[in-house]
Amino acid sequence: MAMAELSTPKTTSPFLQSSSRLRLSSKLHLSNHFRHLLLPPLPTTPNSKISCSVSQNQAPVAAQENGLVKTKKECYGVFCLTYDLKAEEETKSWKKLINIAVSGAAGMISNHLLFKLASGEVFGPDQPIALKLLGSERSIQALEGVAMELEDSLFPLLREVDIGTDPYEVFQDVEWALLIGAKPRGPGMERAALLDINGQIFADQGKALNAVASPNVKVLVVGNPCNTNALICLKNAPNIPAKNFHALTRLDENRAKCQLALKAGVFYDKVSNMTIWGNHSTTQVPDFLNARINGVPVKEVITDHKWLEEGFTESVQKRGGLLIQKWGRSSAASTAVSIVDAIKSLVTPTPEGDWFSTGVYTNGNPYGIAEDLVFSMPCRSKGDGDYELVKDVEIDDYLRKRIAKSEAELLAEKKCVAHLTGEGIAFCDLGPVDTMLPGEV
Ligand SMILES: NC(=O)C1=CN([C@@H]2O[C@H](COP(=O)(O)OP(=O)(O)OC[C@H]3O[C@@H](n4cnc5c(N)ncnc54)[C@H](OP(=O)(O)O)[C@@H]3O)[C@@H](O)[C@H]2O)C=CC1
Ligand SMILES: O=C([O-])CC(=O)C(=O)O
């Protein structure tokens, strides 16, 4: 993995030393738990070398002055290594560093995702990144453990790691915000209660993004119920384009492709044009009408239409619940993979004729879906981080009826969180069937 031949480090890992020796952002209070790990700057001239003098090659010293933590600008440990000429040539062609925030960074999904981000698998082998990890008082120790593992992985593209508990600090200047942290729904907990608790998290994080993130930040909400959380988040961030907010339904798309491939006896890369419509819940609609296998409409390849309407649809809607039954916990690795897929779909051009699913703001949609929701729909991207809706998909009576059910569910969820979206007093009636998350059975 390492791109450079590295000299022997002269110091030990900062995270293996006492926490008082961690690099601390000079402008922050220690009590804010905002801790910062920084690599040497990228080379700017052909003959420049990233190297540290002996005095630089020491652990950082955090001096306290009037309660404020000040740091010297030294590098240390694994981040003070001298790169060889080959590495210089490589880093010269690197792009400008991007800042990526991840919430719930000590959770299970993040435990897979962060290493994919740091490896270059997501943003490419010439894209250096800074990771800004958001946790809480509960998880601050665990976040240090996460940072230690990142450090020990020697990822050349990972230039900074910050950990913190205040979104106004962690989200500063971020270009991507991957919002994963949310309270899991416990036994006996009402859906309305979960919407309220998690909604509050996303209202707060929306406000923080609005205040301090890059104005064109792209936000991917994973924490459930992700569609309504994304709506809450965007409503609290009026300065950020609503189009920049996504709810993760890519896991559902991947699950649907897998089921179709299994039934058709093909490898899953042969399945394309897979849309998930609606909510990331058991009302979601995996669209077999427009999906293709080897470029041929699915209904022509799989002639068991009863299976498509019932078996296939239900298996995708309830895949998360089945996995929890088997595994004893919800999908984490495949969710991280689907987050990677979702981001890559926005930063690389969509293959000709294909599309991907993502939960996006409905305003101006061509399908007649209620405005002012976050709804999963088919999208294409030029690879610039933005997307456009695919406009010419066919919607028959079967699809229309089911899409309407998911739409009704999202409209009901929206009423439950009116107090968090600035739309008045909440009124929560989610109906008799408690179907909110795919992970629930
Ligand atoms: N959209 C999708 O396709 C999928 C979404 N999910 C959702 O992703 C989210 C994260 O899943 P996963 O990483 O497995 O979960 P974990 O339980 O492993 O981690 C969740 C993190 O959420 C944070 N959190 C924030 N608020 C609370 C709270 N009030 N109580 C407890 N924890 C809280 C915790 O971090 P801290 O203490 O640092 O705040 C915790 O580390 C869940 O909401 C899950 O339902 C899961 C799979 C698929
Ligand atoms: O309900 C959960 O936490 C898991 C989930 O979203 C899924 O597996 O799709």
Side-chain angles (χ1 to χ4, degrees):
M1 171 69 241
M3 281 198 237
E5 270 176 37
L6 303 173
S7 66
T8 311
K10 292 199 173 59
T11 59
T12 55
S13 152
F15 278 99
L16 296 177
Q17 300 164 24
S18 74
S19 60
S20 65
R21 298 178 81 184
L22 291 170
R23 188 171 181 87
L24 297 161
S25 176
S26 56
K27 58 179 189 265
L28 302 172
H29 289 78
L30 179 59
S31 60
N32 286 334
H33 288 307
F34 193 77
R35 296 174 183 174
H36 181 77
L37 201 60
L38 182 72
L39 281 162
L42 299 175
T44 49
T45 58
N47 294 319
S48 68
K49 276 202 162 207
I50 299 177
S51 63
C52 299
S53 69
V54 174
S55 65
Q56 282 177 311
N57 215 1
Q58 293 168 345
V61 181
Q64 271 201 269
E65 231 175 60
N66 304 326
L68 278 177
V69 174
K70 297 209 161 195
T71 52
K72 286 187 180 174
K73 293 276 176 201
E74 291 106 344
C75 57
Y76 53 81
V78 77
F79 298 98
C80 288
L81 300 173
T82 302
Y83 289 84
D84 68 3
L85 192 63
K86 197 170 141 231
E88 274 180 36
E89 289 306 310
E90 212 144 10
T91 56
K92 258 197 316 184
S93 64
W94 282 3
K95 297 175 183 163
K96 186 173 164 283
L97 180 107
I98 54 170
N99 295 310
I100 304 165
V102 180
S103 76
M108 289 190 303
I109 295 171
S110 297
N111 195 243
H112 296 272
L113 178 67
L114 293 173
F115 296 83
K116 290 175 170 293
L117 290 167
S119 74
E121 179 186 339
V122 185
F123 290 98
D126 56 352
Q127 179 60 75
I129 64 167
L131 286 176
K132 317 281 178 182
L133 309 183
L134 181 64
S136 68
E137 296 299 329
R138 273 185 303 269
S139 62
I140 194 71
Q141 288 277 346
L143 275 190
E144 282 185 28
V146 171
M148 285 167 65
E149 284 214 85
L150 284 167
E151 182 187 36
D152 292 346
S153 302
L154 307 184
F155 291 117
L157 291 162
L158 181 58
R159 311 303 294 184
E160 289 181 38
V161 177
D162 295 325
I163 62 178
T165 60
D166 180 349
Y168 285 85
E169 290 164 355
V170 176
F171 292 165
Q172 190 77 49
D173 299 325
V174 297
E175 282 118 326
W176 288 85
L178 312 177
L179 305 184
I180 301 172
K183 186 179 174 66
R185 184 169 166 199
M189 192 177 179
E190 295 287 328
R191 290 164 61 184
L194 185 70
L195 275 166
D196 187 43
I197 294 169
N198 283 342
Q200 191 61 57
I201 295 171
F202 289 88
D204 294 345
Q205 293 183 359
K207 288 190 181 91
L209 286 168
N210 198 55
V212 301
S214 160
N216 198 27
V217 59
K218 305 291 188 291
V219 184
L220 177 60
V221 176
V222 179
N224 277 317
C226 61
N227 295 57
T228 297
N229 287 340
L231 182 71
I232 293 166
C233 198
L234 74 86
K235 290 285 181 180
N236 283 279
N239 298 337
I240 300 168
K243 204 183 173 199
N244 290 16
F245 290 78
H246 298 257
L248 183 78
T249 56
R250 185 53 169 266
L251 176 60
D252 307 297
E253 175 184 325
N254 291 355
R255 288 168 169 168
K257 282 179 165 166
C258 178
Q259 294 307 307
L260 290 177
L262 262 172
K263 182 76 173 175
V266 299
F267 199 59
Y268 33 68
D269 64 344
K270 301 291 181 280
V271 186
S272 64
N273 303 81
M274 187 70 238
T275 310
I276 299 295
W277 296 94
N279 200 2
H280 175 67
S281 79
T282 49
T283 66
Q284 67 177 271
V285 187
D287 176 352
F288 54 81
L289 180 68
N290 293 288
R292 291 175 170 258
I293 295 174
N294 279 318
V296 177
V298 162
K299 284 177 92 171
E300 289 175 29
V301 180
I302 298 172
T303 48
D304 182 353
H305 294 175
K306 186 168 157 49
W307 177 81
L308 286 172
E309 290 186 8
E310 294 169 13
F312 163 70
T313 299
E314 191 165 315
S315 71
V316 178
Q317 291 169 334
K318 298 193 172 165
R319 181 79 166 172
L322 184 59
L323 189 127
I324 289 174
Q325 276 181 354
K326 305 269 182 202
W327 208 178
R329 57 158 181 76
S330 64
S331 338
S334 58
T335 305
V337 169
S338 74
I339 294 170
V340 169
D341 290 342
I343 299 170
K344 280 167 85 174
S345 287
L346 293 170
V347 300
T348 48
T350 310
E352 186 67 34
D354 202 0
W355 59 69
F356 57 89
S357 302
T358 176
V360 290
Y361 195 50
T362 50
N363 275 17
N365 79 89
Y367 316 111
I369 293 157
E371 305 270 293
D372 207 28
L373 293 177
V374 170
F375 205 87
S376 185
M377 298 188 276
C379 296
R380 293 181 50 79
S381 175
K382 294 188 179 77
D384 54 359
D386 203 357
Y387 65 87
E388 60 199 33
L389 295 176
V390 178
K391 298 206 167 67
D392 51 358
V393 294
E394 183 191 346
I395 298 185
D396 65 2
D397 283 348
Y398 171 91
L399 279 183
R400 190 169 295 107
K401 212 167 129 197
R402 275 150 190 85
I403 288 171
K405 194 171 164 205
S406 208
E407 179 189 35
E409 183 179 52
L410 280 168
L411 286 166
E413 285 186 23
K414 185 179 159 185
K415 283 192 187 149
C416 294
V417 299
H419 60 305
L420 297 170
T421 55
E423 281 156 27
I425 299 166
F427 170 74
C428 203
D429 178 9
L430 293 166
V433 188
D434 211 349
T435 61
M436 195 165 63
L437 304 177
E440 293 169 344
V441 278

